[in-house]
Amino acid sequence: RSQVWLVQPSYVSSDFNKTNTTLADVTGLTADVLDFQEYKFEANLRVSQSAGGGGKFSIQGTCIPVEIWFEVQLTDNTTDTFSIADLQPSFASSAGQTGTTDGYCKITGYVRTDDGGGGTLTVGYAQNAASGTSTVKKGSTFTVTQVN
């Protein structure tokens, strides 16, 4: 039997800037999720960050997950090394660093909602320390796919 999955792609249409440590929804990187459903998701973020401010990354929103996990991997494009490689086991938890100024962040994960648990799922971003301006660049993407 074949299954047709609901896929919701989204992208950043203009640079998203942060100058503080408060996580905020990245404009454009949001998907709607339904009650009693399971989803996999992937964010691909091109970032330009101040050396002192860095960045922190999260998956958040208005849905109520009964199960969620996501892996955050930030590659420093100058050194070709991971500056973050961290599994997050809860909704709205975050992984952050300072020092990477030119980077690529990939977030992959899974979420399952319960009765009344529908809402939104979004990528959260902020500086890890308040210094200068850190940016999620135009063209960054977030794809959410229903898997049940």
Side-chain angles (χ1 to χ4, degrees), residues 6-7 10 12-13 24 34 37 41 43-44 58 61 69 72 81 83 91 108-109 111 115-116 119 136 145 148:
L6 173 63
V7 178
S10 58
V12 176
S13 61
L34 304 173
Q37 299 300 319
F41 53 85
N44 293 285
S58 179
W69 59 263
V72 178
T81 59
S83 50
F91 199 51
T108 55
V111 63
D115 184 27
V136 174
T145 305
N148 67 329

Side-chain angles (χ1 to χ4, degrees), residues 4-33:
V4 177
W5 287 351
L6 173 63
V7 178
Q8 298 181 66
S10 58
Y11 72 99
V12 176
S13 61
S14 61
D15 287 356
F16 180 81
N17 298 313
K18 284 295 290 182
T19 58
N20 61 47
T21 61
T22 303
L23 284 166
D25 297 346
V26 177
T27 305
L29 300 187
T30 300
D32 294 319
V33 295

Side-chain angles (χ1 to χ4, degrees), residues 14-120:
S14 61
D15 287 356
F16 180 81
N17 298 313
K18 284 295 290 182
T19 58
N20 61 47
T21 61
T22 303
L23 284 166
D25 297 346
V26 177
T27 305
L29 300 187
T30 300
D32 294 319
V33 295
L34 304 173
D35 297 357
F36 289 117
Q37 299 300 319
E38 296 176 55
Y39 299 88
K40 66 178 183 175
F41 53 85
E42 180 174 304
N44 293 285
L45 312 174
R46 176 77 171 81
V47 295
S48 175
Q49 304 176 135
S50 80
K56 61 182 172 181
F57 306 87
S58 179
I59 296 296
Q60 52 195 37
T62 63
C63 72
I64 302 169
V66 293
E67 183 177 5
I68 187 169
W69 59 263
F70 57 97
E71 176 81 20
V72 178
Q73 294 180 331
L74 177 63
T75 302
D76 186 306
N77 290 331
T78 303
T79 63
D80 290 327
T81 59
F82 285 127
S83 50
I84 300 175
D86 195 28
L87 177 65
Q88 295 295 309
S90 60
F91 199 51
S93 59
S94 65
Q97 60 73 52
T98 55
T100 294
T101 58
D102 178 23
Y104 166 76
C105 183
K106 183 173 184 176
I107 305 171
T108 55
Y110 165 85
V111 63
R112 179 171 55 94
T113 61
D114 203 351
D115 184 27
T120 61

